[in-house]
Amino acid sequence: HTSFNFSSSSSSLSLSLSLSLSHRKGFTVFSKSLYASTVTPHSSYLRMSESVAAEHDYIGLSMEAAQMSDNKTKTRDNNNNKNDDVLNFKATELRLGLPGSESPERVDQRFLSLKSSCPVSGAKRVFSDAINGSTKWVFSPGSATDVKDIKPAVPVKEKKSSAAAAPPASKAQVVGWPPIRSFRKNTMASSQSQKQGGSDNNNSETEGEAKSGAEPCLYVKVSMEGAPYLRKIDLKTYKSYVELSSALEEMFSCFTIGQFGSHGGCGRDGLNESRLTDLLRGSEYFVTYEDKDSDWMLVGDVPWEMFICSCKKLRIMKSFEAIGLAPRVMEKCRSRN
Amino acid sequence: MDRRFPFKVLEHIFSFVDSNEDRNSVSLVCKSWFETERRTRKRVFVGNCYAVSPLKVARRFPKMRSLTLKGKPHFADYNLVPDGWGGYAWPWIEAMAARRPFLEEIRLKRMVVTDECLEKIAASFRDFKTLVLTSCEGFSTDGIAAIASTCRKLRDLELRECIVDDLGGDWLSYFPETSTSLVSLDFSCLDSEVKLSDLERLLSRSPNLKSLKLNRSVTLDVLESLLRRAPQLVELGTGSFSDELDPEEIAKLTKALSELKQLKSLSGLWDLLPEYIPLLYSLCPRLTSLNLSYATVQMPDLIDLLSRCSKLQKLWVMDLIEDKGLKTVALCCKELRELRVFPSGADLDETDVTLTEQGLVSVSEGCPKLESVLYFCVQFTNAALVSIAKNRPNFRCFRLCVMEPFAPDYRTQQPLDEGFKAIVERCKDLRRLSVSGLLTDKAFEYIGVHAKKLRMLSIAFAGDSDLMLHHLLSGCQSLKKLEIRDCPFGDTALLENAAKLETMRSLWMSSCFVSFGACKQLSQKMPRLNVEVIDEHPPKTRPDSSPVERIYIYRTVAGPRLDTPEFVWTIHKSPEVGVSRLSIR
């Protein structure tokens, strides 16, 4: 009776997936709209043998999504273009076999499910590379260490990602879960926002859901020229441009990203030497952000604190584009020269 | 010789039969009992507004004084039912207005009520006394004003968690200028401010007022003046409890609160600041019901409050109470019958709050009268469920929401099957159950076999296969409402157990694997079920084997309804027609 309906999952799913992952509690999250909007069959409801509690897979995503997740790169070497190799065909291949017949990493990709580790016990369950941090999730290979036994009966040892700045948490977003009445949700949401005095919150997924309690998060979307999907990060988890830069690097490491701008105090233009030369070569990427006035600015110009207060969105662009959008960049180039 | 009881005698006997279930049984005995019963029934309850036509109900019960209706499926509370699905109160109000003008009470839950409805109520029912709207929507404060101004005998006006188009606080001034007969007023779900003077004057001229639930925009500094005018209150829902008060104001408020000698129930308390908790101490010893679910107070301040509430029977609180607080409750609140613990932060991974299964275990140990629980918790264990079941076999309502979908017993990594087995085996009176966490088909086998009195069951993210549904539908003798989301069963169990569905009020399934073809078969097999498919895409455009997003199946004697929106398809009884969507505005 069960049909593995991979193929029919349609392109109705928008690929602007805002997928961000919790490295703390191991939730794999979906954009709320994504989950809610899918009317395609739920693919891959995998049934294990009766003797073992089955894993359930909530792929509201099409195989396209699964493919994306397969596009992991092995390397996190900077400036290493062998990333290209990893966008290999195997990884993007559509497969319909039963989970057991696949390599563990691929299984991981499939289980884009809500199943995740139990936060307190420390025993992690399925799809722990979600937990390990998105760096690996998207661009790094499903490393062997991430293998989980997908049978929940067996506790899975979780290996924390070694990523320096794994993108922070965003909670699971499934329509109507946990089952709290919207009246209560809305009340608590306005309660929270009153308390925080209207702290900046760019998390567009949560319609009226309460933000995290004490500390406001500053979720911003990070898009990249040529990347098929967005990421989201919490700016509050970084303390400086350096941290942000390395986080972004890891996230988007299949593209070459040089060192970002300054540490805040390094001159007006915030560009360091290597950045400049790279820029001039035209093969580097720039990070720009959209500020409160909806202007696109170059990251690194203003002190960090000011930056996080005004940043609404980030975009990583190829240099020539950056120059088009941010004339100041050109100026800086020239002035440096 | 005519051995039948004279009508008058029967009538007198039936006047002692209160419960509608009993009355329903009585009316099945024979024609004369049916006739007598129907002529004497005063309180009519219709659990699904589409199960029967308003006209039939109006005709059957000529003496009805009170009508209670429920509209949308329960999962509508969690946004699983798209807007516009239905549940319109208008046909009922219209029918009753025309035929039953002596109707005094209308209670609606999860229905769409328009201002037109409210105006019709105000205009049609001379002796109208009670309007209670729970989780309703579609009306504005203008409709409320109409009720307030026109229903001269109004006793109860309660808006519980409704979505109201709030056009301002003027409605409050529409109550009659002379004294009102108000007994209970609940406007806690409205947003906008009401004028203080309107409220004060209303209280002054409502000597019978026993229950007052203010909305959040009523600030703390005016509370004292309101309470002074209504010291007879039995139920109080405060407004916001967080403004800065100077010492004199605090003293006055403390005094006013302590004057409420009859107060048994306290709610509201939005944003309650810890420093104001002592103001409530004078009330605690008499309180039987306390709703702290909007009070963001943390431990240990909560302990000070709860340890004084020895008579408490009902406690609604947030998980900020933590295990420690629940231990205090277990020690001090020996009369507790109902406990609800809500999650405070919607962010599941933000909890620094240590609320674990242990909290519920302590309460089940310490509170011998506990019979109803709603508990949100991140994870659970089988051992805890077994202890709870052992301690408290008198549960009637057990709703556990393990917030992580598919979370197993976090100590043993086993599914929670054994835990829920203990619950249904030991709690023989269980009427309502919500399960969560990792569950296999086995859990549902246990439920099917043991939960004999279970009437309502809610399931999410559970089970392995069709067996799960099969166990439930072939067991659970008393099952009336079943709601399931995101479970992996398909068509087989549904079709095999089709007959069961006519013994139930309704079945809701969303994000499962039921195919459109199965829905068609089911509908054709069972003439008195409405099989409604809720799907954005017309089912006709997809193959029969494709799963359908959401299905709502309910028994009805009214046939397919005529007010379905474009995304709801009632499957036609005759196979050639396929689906019908008759829509009459």
Side-chain angles (χ1 to χ4, degrees):
Chain A
H1 255 260
T2 59
S3 54
F4 291 83
N5 231 335
F6 296 102
S7 53
S8 64
S9 303
S10 67
S11 53
S12 64
L13 293 166
S14 138
L15 285 182
S16 63
L17 296 168
S18 298
L19 290 158
S20 60
L21 301 160
S22 162
H23 70 289
R24 274 178 278 157
K25 298 286 167 96
F27 271 101
T28 305
V29 301
F30 300 118
S31 129
K32 182 171 189 173
S33 57
L34 178 67
Y35 194 92
S37 67
T38 180
V39 290
T40 56
H42 293 270
S43 48
S44 50
Y45 224 116
L46 299 159
R47 280 165 187 33
M48 309 295 288
S49 64
E50 287 286 332
S51 60
V52 172
E55 291 286 289
H56 300 293
D57 174 3
Y58 269 103
I59 294 193
L61 302 174
S62 66
M63 273 313 283
E64 293 153 306
Q67 281 176 45
M68 264 169 13
S69 63
D70 294 340
N71 294 344
K72 296 179 161 192
T73 67
K74 262 205 172 335
T75 179
R76 298 195 296 113
D77 295 347
N78 296 333
N79 305 319
N80 191 333
N81 284 329
K82 81 174 193 210
N83 296 332
D84 296 338
D85 302 339
V86 188
L87 299 175
N88 61 54
F89 292 125
K90 186 167 185 351
T92 59
E93 181 189 311
L94 266 184
R95 306 219 331 236
L96 295 180
L98 288 172
S101 65
E102 291 160 320
S103 65
E105 304 96 286
R106 280 202 58 82
V107 172
D108 299 346
Q109 320 319 318
R110 296 292 173 76
F111 285 95
L112 296 174
S113 78
L114 293 163
K115 291 183 156 184
S116 56
S117 65
C118 303
V120 174
S121 71
K124 307 299 187 200
R125 300 181 61 227
V126 170
F127 207 53
S128 50
D129 53 347
I131 304 157
N132 279 340
S134 57
T135 62
K136 288 215 195 143
W137 185 80
V138 177
F139 285 108
S140 48
S143 57
T145 55
D146 288 347
V147 169
K148 63 278 354 187
D149 197 350
I150 51 184
K151 302 176 187 170
V154 178
V156 173
K157 261 321 182 170
E158 162 79 38
K159 303 230 168 100
K160 279 288 185 195
S161 160
S162 53
S170 173
K171 61 191 189 311
Q173 302 268 7
V174 178
V175 176
W177 189 264
I180 301 173
R181 285 194 179 172
S182 11
F183 181 80
R184 165 167 292 277
K185 273 202 253 190
N186 295 339
T187 306
M188 295 314 294
S190 58
S191 185
Q192 303 275 12
S193 64
Q194 275 178 24
K195 281 201 160 155
Q196 294 162 17
S199 71
D200 199 15
N201 196 319
N202 295 328
N203 192 343
S204 59
E205 290 172 353
T206 57
E207 301 159 10
E209 290 199 38
K211 291 294 128 230
S212 49
E215 227 107 21
C217 302
L218 278 180
Y219 282 103
V220 296
K221 291 188 182 175
V222 186
S223 62
M224 178 159 184
E225 179 66 30
Y229 51 85
L230 303 176
R231 304 310 308 284
K232 265 173 110 153
I233 60 175
D234 179 2
L235 285 182
K236 283 253 174 212
T237 61
Y238 310 109
K239 307 238 181 13
S240 69
Y241 285 119
V242 175
E243 281 184 33
L244 175 64
S245 138
S246 40
L248 289 179
E249 259 179 82
E250 283 168 4
M251 255 192 264
F252 294 99
S253 57
C254 73
F255 298 88
T256 309
I257 298 178
Q259 286 302 316
F260 287 145
S262 76
H263 321 272
C266 185
R268 284 174 308 147
D269 55 12
L271 296 174
N272 59 22
E273 290 297 335
S274 64
R275 201 77 201 86
L276 249 196
T277 43
D278 290 339
L279 165 64
L280 294 176
R281 272 208 313 269
S283 65
E284 279 305 325
Y285 289 82
F286 267 104
V287 184
T288 60
Y289 70 101
E290 185 180 2
D291 73 4
K292 285 203 150 101
D293 304 319
S294 298
D295 294 330
W296 285 91
M297 316 277 279
L298 205 60
V299 165
D301 283 348
V302 299
W304 176 252
E305 283 71 25
M306 215 190 288
F307 167 67
I308 60 177
C309 288
S310 58
C311 172
K312 279 180 9 190
K313 262 195 238 185
L314 285 168
R315 185 160 172 82
I316 303 170
M317 295 191 285
K318 292 200 216 281
S319 54
F320 53 83
E321 231 189 72
I323 289 169
L325 280 175
R328 303 159 59 220
V329 175
M330 269 299 268
E331 274 177 50
K332 290 174 203 313
C333 294
R334 287 199 210 107
S335 71
R336 274 294 201 136
N337 271 348
Chain B
M1 183 177 140
D2 192 338
R3 293 193 181 277
R4 284 175 301 173
F5 276 131
F7 168 76
K8 282 281 171 222
V9 175
L10 270 184
E11 195 184 18
H12 184 70
I13 295 174
F14 291 168
S15 67
F16 295 103
V17 181
D18 264 342
S19 110
N20 274 349
E21 275 197 39
D22 291 339
R23 279 185 164 264
N24 290 343
S25 311
V26 156
S27 57
L28 290 174
V29 167
C30 65
K31 263 202 148 167
S32 73
W33 283 38
F34 175 85
E35 284 297 312
T36 313
E37 190 285 314
R38 79 174 185 87
R39 286 178 206 282
T40 56
R41 193 183 300 207
K42 296 235 177 56
R43 285 192 316 254
V44 174
F45 172 82
V46 179
N48 174 4
C49 64
Y50 290 119
V52 63
S53 84
L55 198 53
K56 274 205 172 157
V57 174
R59 286 208 191 117
R60 181 172 166 188
F61 301 111
K63 289 269 173 63
M64 67 189 291
R65 292 286 179 268
S66 153
L67 177 63
T68 304
L69 287 176
K70 294 193 184 179
K72 300 188 203 175
H74 172 239
F75 272 175
D77 283 350
Y78 315 128
N79 296 331
L80 288 177
V81 178
D83 276 340
W85 173 85
Y88 303 105
W90 175 255
W92 290 86
I93 310 282
E94 195 185 26
M96 297 306 151
R99 286 165 189 83
R100 299 286 159 244
F102 294 109
L103 194 60
E104 294 175 358
E105 302 179 7
I106 295 181
R107 293 179 169 79
L108 304 176
K109 188 167 188 181
R110 281 186 220 107
M111 294 194 74
V112 177
V113 180
T114 57
D115 284 346
E116 223 182 349
C117 295
L118 295 175
E119 284 154 16
K120 187 88 170 164
I121 292 176
S124 317
F125 304 114
R126 240 178 317 139
D127 295 329
F128 196 69
K129 295 196 170 70
T130 300
L131 181 66
V132 177
L133 301 177
T134 308
S135 301
C136 293
E137 57 178 357
F139 59 101
S140 78
T141 42
D142 284 349
I144 315 280
I147 299 269
S149 63
T150 321
C151 303
R152 300 264 134 183
K153 298 194 184 168
L154 191 67
R155 283 202 317 219
D156 308 296
L157 177 58
E158 295 181 28
L159 307 173
R160 301 181 187 167
E161 295 193 352
C162 295
I163 300 180
V164 183
D165 184 9
D166 196 335
L167 305 170
D170 279 341
W171 61 273
L172 197 65
S173 59
Y174 280 77
F175 282 102
E177 281 300 325
T178 55
S179 81
T180 77
S181 39
L182 272 182
V183 173
S184 102
L185 177 63
D186 179 353
F187 62 96
S188 52
C189 63
L190 297 182
D191 280 327
S192 60
E193 280 189 45
V194 294
K195 279 224 292 274
L196 177 62
S197 51
D198 285 344
L199 196 44
E200 286 173 335
R201 277 185 300 114
L202 180 65
L203 295 182
S204 301
R205 66 187 195 274
S206 303
N208 297 330
L209 192 69
K210 294 274 186 295
S211 166
L212 176 65
K213 300 202 177 154
L214 306 166
N215 69 353
R216 197 177 187 177
S217 62
V218 175
T219 50
L220 194 55
D221 49 342
V222 308
L223 186 59
E224 180 267 328
S225 126
L226 298 173
L227 295 182
R228 252 190 301 129
R229 291 167 165 80
Q232 75 283 7
L233 284 179
V234 175
E235 289 184 351
L236 170 66
T238 71
S240 140
F241 224 91
S242 63
D243 312 297
E244 302 270 339
L245 298 182
D246 61 42
E248 196 196 325
E249 288 173 309
I250 294 185
K252 280 196 352 206
L253 181 56
T254 313
K255 180 160 190 299
L257 285 167
S258 66
E259 298 286 301
L260 300 174
K261 300 285 183 214
Q262 322 255 29
L263 197 76
K264 294 227 168 56
S265 159
L266 185 61
S267 59
L269 301 172
W270 273 292
D271 314 313
L272 176 63
L273 293 179
E275 50 261 36
Y276 292 146
I277 292 188
L279 273 67
L280 305 173
Y281 287 169
S282 57
L283 299 171
C284 295
R286 287 183 295 275
L287 280 185
T288 57
S289 163
L290 179 58
N291 183 347
L292 291 168
S293 61
Y294 295 107
T296 45
V297 183
Q298 309 201 343
M299 296 291 286
D301 305 305
L302 277 179
I303 290 195
D304 299 325
L305 189 59
L306 293 170
S307 53
R308 291 173 156 79
C309 300
S310 53
K311 289 225 179 94
L312 208 57
Q313 294 179 15
K314 179 168 127 167
L315 175 63
W316 290 20
V317 77
M318 288 200 277
D319 58 7
L320 303 169
I321 194 174
E322 299 186 11
D323 291 345
K324 272 186 302 183
L326 288 175
K327 256 209 157 79
T328 308
V329 170
L331 276 177
C332 304
C333 309
K334 293 296 182 191
E335 296 292 313
L336 197 69
R337 285 164 173 61
E338 178 181 329
L339 173 68
R340 294 197 191 187
V341 180
F342 297 97
S344 53
D347 266 330
L348 293 172
D349 46 357
E350 286 293 333
T351 43
D352 309 313
V353 154
T354 36
L355 180 86
T356 69
E357 75 282 4
Q358 199 42 52
L360 188 55
V361 172
S362 332
V363 179
S364 68
E365 272 168 5
C367 301
K369 299 193 182 168
L370 189 68
E371 58 180 25
S372 168
V373 162
L374 169 61
Y375 201 77
F376 282 84
C377 188
V378 180
Q379 52 192 15
F380 230 77
T381 63
N382 280 314
L385 282 169
V386 170
S387 299
I388 292 168
K390 281 209 182 109
N391 294 333
R392 214 51 33 237
N394 45 323
F395 273 125
R396 291 172 68 98
C397 167
F398 188 79
R399 295 161 71 188
L400 175 65
C401 178
V402 176
M403 292 195 284
E404 277 205 39
F406 311 118
D409 176 328
Y410 69 89
R411 286 195 202 284
T412 64
Q413 300 307 313
Q414 293 300 309
L416 291 177
D417 298 346
E418 292 303 310
F420 280 107
K421 175 182 181 205
I423 295 276
V424 293
E425 263 181 343
R426 288 183 175 263
C427 304
K428 303 216 186 295
D429 261 341
L430 198 64
R431 296 273 193 277
R432 183 167 177 187
L433 177 65
S434 299
V435 297
S436 53
L438 183 69
L439 294 166
T440 69
D441 290 343
K442 265 230 157 294
F444 300 99
E445 188 186 338
Y446 301 140
I447 295 176
V449 165
H450 294 287
K452 297 194 182 7
K453 295 226 179 121
L454 192 67
R455 296 173 58 98
M456 180 167 174
L457 177 59
S458 311
I459 307 174
F461 307 110
D464 309 313
S465 73
D466 277 56
L467 264 184
M468 157 201 170
L469 186 62
H470 176 71
H471 288 313
L472 292 175
L473 294 181
S474 55
C476 291
Q477 286 97 309
S478 312
L479 195 64
K480 291 280 174 279
K481 288 201 287 187
L482 179 57
E483 46 185 23
I484 308 181
R485 63 166 295 178
D486 294 272
C487 294
F489 63 83
D491 304 335
T492 328
L494 202 57
L495 291 170
E496 271 176 21
N497 294 288
K500 171 81 170 183
L501 298 177
E502 267 192 15
T503 68
M504 292 166 53
R505 185 189 294 171
S506 66
L507 167 62
W508 166 277
M509 292 187 293
S510 55
S511 306
C512 301
F513 281 123
V514 182
S515 73
F516 179 55
C519 293
K520 284 205 285 198
Q521 280 184 50
L522 186 62
S523 181
Q524 283 141 28
K525 227 172 145 175
M526 309 298 303
R528 285 195 295 204
L529 290 183
N530 272 359
V531 179
E532 286 185 13
V533 167
I534 300 169
D535 204 314
E536 282 172 22
H537 304 304
K540 272 194 283 241
T541 64
R542 293 205 302 220
D544 274 7
S545 59
S546 65
V548 147
E549 257 292 302
R550 293 165 237 225
I551 309 172
Y552 185 51
I553 302 173
Y554 54 92
R555 68 177 169 187
T556 178
V557 294
R561 58 183 173 113
L562 303 175
D563 58 2
T564 47
E566 66 272 5
F567 50 82
V568 177
W569 282 269
T570 309
I571 300 197
H572 210 277
K573 298 302 169 193
S574 111
E576 309 87 63
V577 179
V579 283
S580 67
R581 197 171 31 78
L582 304 170
S583 200
I584 295 180
R585 301 290 291 122

